[in-house]
Amino acid sequence: KPESRYRERFEHWRSRHEKMVARWEAEALAERENKPISSRWFFHEVGKILPGDSLILEETILHSSSLRRYLAEPGRYGRLCHGSLGIGLGEASGVKLVSPDRPVVFIIGDGTFNYNPVLAALGVLQEYHLPVLIIILNNGGYMAMKGGYHEVYPEGWAVTHKEYLGVDIVPEPDYTKVAEAFGGYGERVSEAGDVELALNRALQQMGQGKIALLDVMLDNP
């Protein structure tokens, strides 16, 4: 019967999916003590802590596959990277404008954050009372560009001398101060054990109508 074939197929793929999810969870938990903070463990924790009605938006490159693994669910996830970088903060503002009753969480790499019109975007969030949680995945530079050196010129000067021009973000900015300049809340997170409390503090600040920004020191996946 067609119904039995469909049921067998459904059970087959459900079983495979459940095993895959269990494997992903085990991989994340195995890295919960890592420093810098493991991106897999961080996204796993974010998925557990955020309210169920959160809208999760992201503009990332290096961490995008891990992020989607743990956080991409129908009806609550959107990717704001459309062939170029630097538009995510503006789009996150628009999403919050049309979804005032849902927590909006925007996840962005530190390199991409610097591509965005940060002051203008945070000014819009402040002026129109649009509390958004911004999570910066901070690995200290434009690491996708660094990967390009290895991919395109694996035996070139940069790789052989370990000198990657235009990759490092130095001196290191204090991104939390940018949020504070617009009446928001900022916190740097460098220890895995601080993630849960930091996320809850940020969500509490959002509940009070403030922009919240977490600067999270992550590894390179």
Side-chain angles (χ1 to χ4, degrees):
K1 295 180 179 180
E3 293 82 1
S4 63
R5 291 200 303 270
Y6 297 152
R7 174 55 58 181
E8 289 175 4
R9 187 179 304 168
F10 174 81
E11 294 298 337
H12 169 77
W13 288 109
R14 183 174 66 174
S15 174
R16 291 194 60 175
H17 174 76
E18 290 175 350
K19 290 177 181 178
M20 178 181 67
V21 171
R23 185 179 72 251
W24 289 349
E25 182 174 16
E27 290 173 359
L29 294 176
E31 299 178 355
R32 61 183 177 272
E33 302 295 335
N34 286 15
K35 186 172 181 178
I37 299 169
S38 158
S39 55
R40 283 184 283 266
W41 184 85
F42 177 73
F43 296 137
H44 176 265
E45 288 299 289
V46 169
K48 287 169 46 181
I49 295 167
L50 290 182
D53 62 341
S54 298
L55 289 170
I56 301 171
L57 312 171
E58 60 109 345
E59 189 178 24
T60 70
I61 298 178
L62 202 64
H63 294 95
S64 60
S65 60
S66 293
L67 190 154
R68 289 195 297 270
R69 173 185 290 189
Y70 295 101
L71 295 177
E73 296 181 9
R76 70 180 307 212
Y77 165 81
R79 179 162 170 77
L80 306 182
C81 185
H82 311 290
S84 61
L85 300 173
I87 60 176
L89 275 172
E91 291 194 355
S93 304
V95 170
K96 182 59 183 177
L97 188 64
V98 300
S99 307
D101 298 325
R102 297 183 66 177
V104 173
V105 181
F106 176 51
I107 304 175
I108 184 171
D110 56 335
T112 307
F113 187 75
N114 282 285
Y115 282 5
N116 273 257
V118 174
L119 301 185
L122 294 185
V124 167
L125 295 176
Q126 181 187 38
E127 180 179 358
Y128 291 96
H129 309 289
L130 303 171
V132 170
L133 170 55
I134 302 165
I135 299 177
I136 298 178
L137 309 178
N138 191 337
N139 55 17
Y142 303 95
M143 295 306 167
M145 291 170 55
K146 184 176 181 179
Y149 279 109
H150 287 266
E151 182 178 352
V152 181
Y153 300 106
E155 299 179 4
W157 187 92
V159 176
T160 57
H161 289 76
K162 300 188 185 306
E163 292 285 344
Y164 303 95
L165 300 178
V167 167
D168 297 320
I169 300 176
V170 290
E172 185 179 8
D174 187 347
Y175 297 112
T176 65
K177 300 299 184 186
V178 181
E180 293 172 6
F182 288 86
Y185 173 79
E187 181 176 347
R188 172 169 285 193
V189 185
S190 57
E191 300 287 343
D194 296 334
V195 168
E196 182 176 0
L197 289 175
L199 279 167
N200 284 325
R201 281 191 289 267
L203 291 170
Q204 184 180 32
Q205 294 293 320
M206 284 176 60
Q208 297 174 10
K210 291 185 178 182
I211 304 163
L213 185 150
L214 295 181
D215 182 15
V216 184
M217 314 306 289
L218 284 189
D219 63 0
N220 293 313

